[in-house]
């Protein structure tokens, strides 16, 4: 991923196509042992010239039931190879575990379906992938390994990365092109030149891939199209490719990459089809709708790459999908900039998998460069469902459904509590009077709701460079509670962002409270801590000690779980049950449907509805909806939910921090 004028990002998919050429294989790449090779200007598949026409699409952001649908639509747009990122944190959520047996993490099946749909694959396994994902795809447990320094020539990191790559390779090794599969190339790291220039590290990753995949598989790097990113990211023996603007990027590749083992055909590995959304009242949804000049530039650039340069390209994103659950990442720009659960991206295929006007425009542009009749017909868009408004009834307080506590003199971080995501509650009962501004460790990590005796006093939110100062006045026996929400670990850092040197928070992933809590000038000791990862909320609701009635709900009380249900129509096609679920009177929180965490909502926007895949819905049955609202009764109206067949976006002022910047 790299810095550019729109928000940052980092995943890719690509697709390959035969074009006329008189090219011959290069001497440095053996065609005898590999079905995919290249010369100075052309990729070759089984000795025949290929032009990669690609687009990014990641399996772990898409319900697996929909993989074939999305891949077939990629082919129908004229694409011919898929570049999926692989998310290490979902495959190894706890150290030593491995979840590729779960459908959503079965990367091998995704690759096989791609091949069945006429697509090749260019693999982007990381271990770092960026992509606006939580900590760039790193599992949170890495932070607790002594001496760990991610993205570096660091033995603890290389040991963990080696284990990950070895296990991933065991799952997909037989899917390489050299063994009859669709995997053509594998990326070394991901846009590393933006981050650093430790060539010992990237060389070690190159060797790790060589050791676990066939020696003849083509390796490549992908970096921003300027001198320092290309020079920082290049790896001897791996094709050096670019992302971003193709004209300047290709020129930079020609100027700054001189090692012959890194030279070959030109590929724009991330050509941005727009940008991801970020929470905030001043952050509208990113879309090309109503911006014909942007689409015209896309078409012009496709002509330049595929026509004038006879080069290759991958669209980032072809289909963005969804950051389900707590899967979104963040940036640090002297404040926490948080990506939404929706990863719609303004992409040609929208978040629900429907084709868009942009899809049709790009398809028309691509058709000029492929044999007539070679692109399949575009499937019709199926209508989405709507759900009539239904009531959400209060069930229990989050604070009445706490797990086992951990006690310590000083606060422990979320990671120190063996927790990866969600919320952590810190409680202290005062033994003497305290008064002053609450300082939750070194800084808020990330959004801290302050309670005294169960009543909310204010919110310290790192999404603002200057969050509110929350003062408390405590008497002996008062209970201070700090509920800390992990909004998403930083997934990207550049060593040069327009001349601004932001702190490298990829190296600082800790959530919860790091350091001491100080009130006024006094350090507060003796804490009870409760990790609230909320992987399985069924037990949380069953164990809740109190059932609420609407009359008991007043502004300022702790977070509440609400429950409701809707009946779904019968359908043999889950796509017909797709909808966009809204909690119009909610403040901020998460929504589960049939136990599946759809993601975060926040009235501030721009995302106002959560994508509910029909694959999660039980057709012809009652479907259970659970909502955790962090600030009950802070907005007018009854708690209800409703499903919409058409999506809307919008922004509202943050009433919790009206003076914050």
């Amino acid at each position: 991923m790299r810095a550019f004028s729109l928000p940052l990002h980092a995943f890719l998919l690509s697709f390959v196509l035969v074009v006329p050429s008189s090219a011959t294989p290069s001497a440095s790449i053996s065609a005898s042992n590999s079905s995919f090779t290249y010369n100075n200007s052309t990729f070759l598949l089984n000795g025949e010239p290929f032009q990669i026409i690609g687009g990014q699409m990641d399996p772990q952001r898409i319900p697996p039931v929909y993989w074939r649908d999305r891949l077939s639509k990629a082919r129908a747009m004229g694409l011919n190879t898929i570049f999926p990122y692989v998310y290490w944190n979902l495959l190894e959520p706890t150290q030593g575990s491995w979840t590729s047996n779960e459908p959503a993490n079965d990367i091998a099946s995704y690759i096989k379906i791609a091949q069945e749909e006429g697509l090749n694959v260019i693999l982007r396994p990381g271990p770092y992938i960026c992509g606006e994902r939580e900590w760039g795809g790193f599992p949170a447990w890495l932070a607790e390994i002594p001496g760990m320094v991610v993205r570096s020539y660091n033995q603890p990191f290389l040991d963990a990365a080696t284990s990950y790559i070895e296990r991933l390779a065991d799952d997909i090794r037989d899917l390489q092109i050299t063994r009859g599969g669709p995997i053509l190339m594998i990326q070394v790291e991901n846009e590393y030149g933006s981050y650093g220039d430790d060539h010992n590290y990237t060389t070690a990753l190159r060797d790790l891939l060589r050791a676990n995949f066939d020696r003849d598989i083509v390796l490549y790097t992908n970096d921003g199209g300027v001198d320092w990113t290309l020079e920082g990211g290049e790896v001897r023996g791996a094709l050096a490719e670019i992302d971003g603007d193709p004209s300047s990027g290709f020129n930079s590749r020609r100027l700054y990459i001189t090692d012959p083992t890194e030279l070959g055909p030109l590929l724009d590995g991330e050509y941005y089809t727009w940008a991801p959304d970020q929470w905030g009242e001043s952050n509208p949804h990113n879309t090309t709708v109503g911006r014909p000049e942007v689409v015209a530039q896309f078409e012009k650039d496709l002509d330049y790459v595929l026509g004038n340069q006879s080069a290759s390209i991958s669209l980032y994103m072809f289909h963005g999908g969804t950051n389900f659950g707590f899967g979104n990442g963040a940036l640090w720009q002297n404040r926490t900039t948080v990506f939404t659960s929706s990863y719609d991206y303004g992409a040609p295929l929208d978040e629900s998998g429907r084709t868009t006007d942009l899809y049709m425009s790009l398809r028309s542009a691509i058709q000029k460069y492929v044999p007539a009749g070679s692109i399949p017909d575009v499937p019709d868009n199926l209508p989405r469902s709507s759900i009539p408004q239904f009531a959400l009834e209060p069930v229990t307080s989050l604070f009445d459904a706490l797990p086992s506590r951990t006690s310590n003199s000083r606060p422990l971080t979320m990671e120190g509590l063996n927790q990866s995501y969600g919320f952590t509650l810190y409680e202290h009962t005062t033994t003497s009077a305290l008064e002053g501004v609450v300082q939750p460790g070194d800084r808020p990590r990330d959004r801290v709701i302050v309670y005294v005796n169960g009543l909310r006093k204010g919110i310290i939110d790192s999404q603002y460079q200057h969050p509110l100062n929350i003062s408390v006045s405590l008497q002996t026996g008062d209970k201070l509670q700090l509920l800390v929400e992990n909004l998403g670990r930083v997934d990207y850092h550049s060593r040069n962002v327009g001349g601004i040197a932001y702190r490298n928070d990829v190296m600082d992933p800790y959530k919860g409270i790091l350091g001491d809590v100080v009130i006024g000038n006094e350090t507060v000791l003796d804490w009870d801590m409760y990790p609230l990862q909320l992987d399985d909320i069924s037990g949380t609701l069953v164990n809740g000690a109190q059932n609420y009635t609407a009359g008991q709900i007043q502004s300022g009380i702790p977070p509440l779980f609400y429950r409701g249900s809707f009946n779904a129509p019968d359908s043999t096609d889950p796509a017909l049950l797709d909808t966009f679920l809204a909690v119009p009177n909610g403040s901020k929180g998460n929504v589960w449907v049939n136990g599946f965490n759809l993601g975060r909502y926040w009235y501030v926007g721009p995302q106002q509805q959560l994508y509910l895949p029909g694959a999660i819905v039980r057709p012809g049955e009652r479907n259970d909806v659970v909502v955790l609202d962090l600030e009950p009764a802070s907005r007018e109206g009854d708690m209800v939910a409703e499903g919409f067949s058409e999506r809307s976006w919008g922004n509202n002022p943050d009433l919790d921090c009206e003076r914050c910047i």
Side-chain angles (χ1 to χ4, degrees), residues 328-341:
N328 64 278
L331 302 176
W332 178 259
Q333 297 169 322
N334 293 330
R335 63 184 183 89
T336 305
T337 302
V338 183
F339 295 105
T340 60
S341 292

Side-chain angles (χ1 to χ4, degrees), residues 73 349-350 353-357 378-384 576:
K73 288 172 179 173
L349 205 64
D350 73 13
R354 272 65 177 179
T355 60
T356 65
D357 290 345
V378 179
D380 291 335
N381 282 335
L382 296 178
R384 288 177 291 259
L576 291 170

Side-chain angles (χ1 to χ4, degrees), residues 60 67 86-88 90-92 97-112 123 125 162-176 179 181-183 186 212-213:
Q60 289 157 293
W67 286 349
V86 180
Y87 305 162
W88 179 6
L90 297 186
L91 279 166
E92 194 176 5
S97 64
W98 195 251
T99 64
S100 65
N101 61 323
E102 298 176 0
N105 296 314
D106 187 354
I107 308 302
S109 288
Y110 181 80
I111 293 171
K112 291 174 184 176
L123 190 70
T162 297
S163 175
Y164 159 65
I165 292 293
E166 287 176 347
R167 297 178 80 173
L168 177 63
D170 286 344
D171 287 343
I172 63 175
R173 185 177 290 113
D174 288 339
L175 298 174
Q176 298 171 88
R179 304 187 185 198
I183 299 176
I186 301 175
N212 284 280
F213 293 91

Side-chain angles (χ1 to χ4, degrees), residues 29 157 265 418:
I29 303 295
F157 179 67
N418 296 315

Side-chain angles (χ1 to χ4, degrees), residues 315 401 653:
L315 306 176

Side-chain angles (χ1 to χ4, degrees), residues 351-364:
E351 186 179 1
S352 71
R354 272 65 177 179
T355 60
T356 65
D357 290 345
L358 178 60
Y359 178 103
M360 301 308 295
S361 295
L362 296 181
R363 185 177 189 269
S364 295

Side-chain angles (χ1 to χ4, degrees), residues 389-392 562 582-589 601-603 608 627 629-642 644 652:
Q389 187 177 104
F390 58 94
L392 296 169
Y562 294 80
V583 185
N585 300 324
S587 62
K588 187 181 192 299
Y601 69 91
W602 191 22
Y603 71 91
Q608 297 294 336
V627 173
D629 196 77
L630 298 178
E631 302 166 52
S634 63
R635 303 185 71 224
E636 294 183 0
D638 295 333
M639 282 292 283
V640 296
E642 184 175 357
F644 294 86
N652 299 293

